[in-house]
Amino acid sequence: MSVKTTFNFDQMLSNAREAYGEELFRMAEEGIDFVFTYTDNVAESTSAGKLLKKYPERCFNFGIAEPNQVGASAGIALSGQVVFAQVFGPFLSLRAADQIHTDIAYNDVNVRLIGTHSGLTAAGGPTHNTIADLALYRAIPNLTICVPADAAQCCKIIRKSMDFKGPMVIRIDRGGSPDVYASDYEYEIGKAIEVKPGKDVTIISCGSAVYWSMMGAKILEEKHGISVRVIDMHTIKPLDVDMIIKCARETGNVVTVEEHSINGGLGGAVAESLMEAGFDGKFKRIGLPDEFALLGDPDEVYKHYKMDSQGIADQVAELLGKK
């Protein structure tokens, strides 16, 4: 059964980058024990900044030395602490890959790596786009990967992770994104959520792409009469294969949408699961092509690559022979 969602997106913007700090501050106020490591881009004026001011003894600044931060976070976790480590997204996956692999994952420690500015949301061009991180993370053993759809879900993941064993990456975007969920719901790491029912095609998405997918589904139904099911695959690893196979059997067609390269991310993971299950329907990956993305405002870049709501609708309609 679908979870209650909202289409009133313009009025309901929230910011996961602020939400994680607010949740950590609330947890600290409740007496929950954890350590926070961070890089220089956490300002005192942010919600995480409140944590630094009131609980400085549990907060450690590593400046712009992200590999050192990740390695030290592993060391702190080996002492028995749960560690939340906020790192600028492109530098987390590209500069600290060795430390994630060898220090964090190999030791199977309780570090939650919060990678900010995911996808194109840094707006810094090819050097600052985070478009290959999921491919890297998926290949590393012991590493759980969560991609919240909105700020409230980010808070749920932060809270749930306190009782979770092993290392985790929490991938969030830079700025405000529309709220997807209109009411409270049960969240479980590793269990996908049906946010919209449908019978002709399933769109599986994660992160901010859940919003685009819902709006694309709305266009498809209004203009083409296509009934679209939308799935929030908030956990990329472990992947909810049961949900993928169920949707494939019930709708016959599957599309993935993600703010990541089409190589190695959510689309690749879903394709692997479908092929191993003998899927013979239509399938398409929507995401960034195998190239360095254009430099520009993220919304314009999304439109260029047909990753916005209209672009998603057009590609799905074409796949189904409705355009």
Side-chain angles (χ1 to χ4, degrees):
M1 183 176 179
S2 298
V3 174
K4 186 177 180 182
T5 55
T6 177
F7 282 96
N8 190 21
F9 296 119
D10 291 337
Q11 305 302 316
M12 304 184 72
L13 289 176
S14 58
N15 190 327
R17 197 157 60 99
E18 284 293 309
Y20 88 80
E22 293 168 359
E23 190 66 16
L24 289 178
F25 185 79
R26 282 191 290 268
M27 288 162 54
E29 292 282 88
E30 294 168 16
I32 297 174
D33 192 24
F34 63 87
V35 171
F36 179 58
T37 69
Y38 62 102
T39 48
D40 249 358
N41 65 335
V42 174
E44 290 189 1
S45 60
T46 65
S47 57
K50 293 193 302 181
L51 182 71
L52 313 185
K53 291 177 183 178
K54 189 164 184 180
Y55 299 97
E57 73 283 353
R58 66 166 72 186
C59 302
F60 299 90
N61 185 357
F62 286 82
I64 56 172
E66 293 85 5
N68 292 348
Q69 178 194 355
V70 174
S73 296
I76 296 169
L78 283 169
S79 74
Q81 292 282 350
V82 173
V83 181
F84 291 91
Q86 179 274 328
V87 190
F88 186 49
F91 301 161
L92 175 63
S93 55
L94 299 178
R95 292 184 179 174
D98 183 19
Q99 287 74 20
I100 295 171
H101 174 275
T102 307
D103 297 339
I104 300 287
Y106 180 72
N107 287 294
D108 202 18
V109 289
N110 292 327
V111 176
R112 288 76 178 95
L113 297 165
I114 304 173
T116 64
H117 299 71
S118 65
L120 307 177
T121 61
T127 60
H128 283 54
N129 290 337
T130 313
I131 62 172
D133 55 324
L134 294 179
L136 167 69
Y137 300 149
R138 285 185 58 222
I140 297 177
N142 295 335
L143 196 58
T144 294
I145 310 165
C146 294
V147 187
D150 60 17
Q153 191 175 89
C154 180
C155 291
K156 286 180 177 289
I157 294 171
I158 293 290
R159 182 74 59 160
K160 286 276 188 177
S161 74
M162 281 302 303
D163 298 321
F164 189 84
K165 301 300 180 185
M168 176 185 296
V169 171
I170 303 171
R171 185 187 198 250
I172 60 178
D173 57 19
R174 176 188 184 185
S177 296
D179 286 336
V180 171
Y181 295 95
S183 61
D184 196 20
Y185 59 96
E186 185 65 29
Y187 177 87
E188 183 178 350
I189 294 170
K191 294 297 181 182
I193 301 170
E194 181 182 296
V195 295
K196 183 185 174 304
K199 57 183 177 58
D200 296 328
V201 60
T202 299
I203 297 179
I204 301 174
S205 55
C206 63
S208 55
V210 176
Y211 152 64
W212 309 332
S213 299
M214 289 177 63
M215 294 303 287
K218 190 175 182 181
I219 295 171
L220 285 164
E221 295 191 345
E222 292 176 350
K223 293 189 175 181
H224 302 283
I226 298 173
S227 176
V228 184
R229 183 179 303 182
V230 180
I231 301 297
D232 175 10
M233 191 62 69
H234 51 75
T235 308
I236 308 300
K237 184 182 177 184
L239 194 67
D240 191 347
V241 177
D242 290 342
M243 175 67 87
I244 294 170
I245 302 307
K246 175 180 182 291
C247 292
R249 288 172 177 165
E250 292 177 355
T251 66
N253 305 289
V254 179
V255 175
T256 60
V257 183
E258 60 190 311
E259 190 169 358
H260 185 273
S261 169
I262 60 171
N263 297 324
L266 173 64
V270 172
E272 292 162 12
S273 299
L274 290 174
M275 292 305 99
E276 289 180 348
F279 176 68
D280 60 358
K282 293 182 177 180
F283 174 77
K284 184 173 182 61
R285 297 169 298 166
I286 296 177
L288 291 158
D290 187 17
E291 65 185 51
F292 289 105
L294 297 176
L295 175 62
D297 179 86
D299 287 340
E300 292 299 317
V301 179
Y302 300 148
K303 184 176 181 181
H304 175 80
Y305 289 116
K306 297 183 178 180
M307 294 169 55
D308 62 342
S309 300
Q310 185 63 58
I312 292 169
D314 290 344
Q315 293 191 69
V316 174
E318 184 176 359
L319 178 72
L320 301 182
K322 299 289 187 178
K323 187 177 179 182

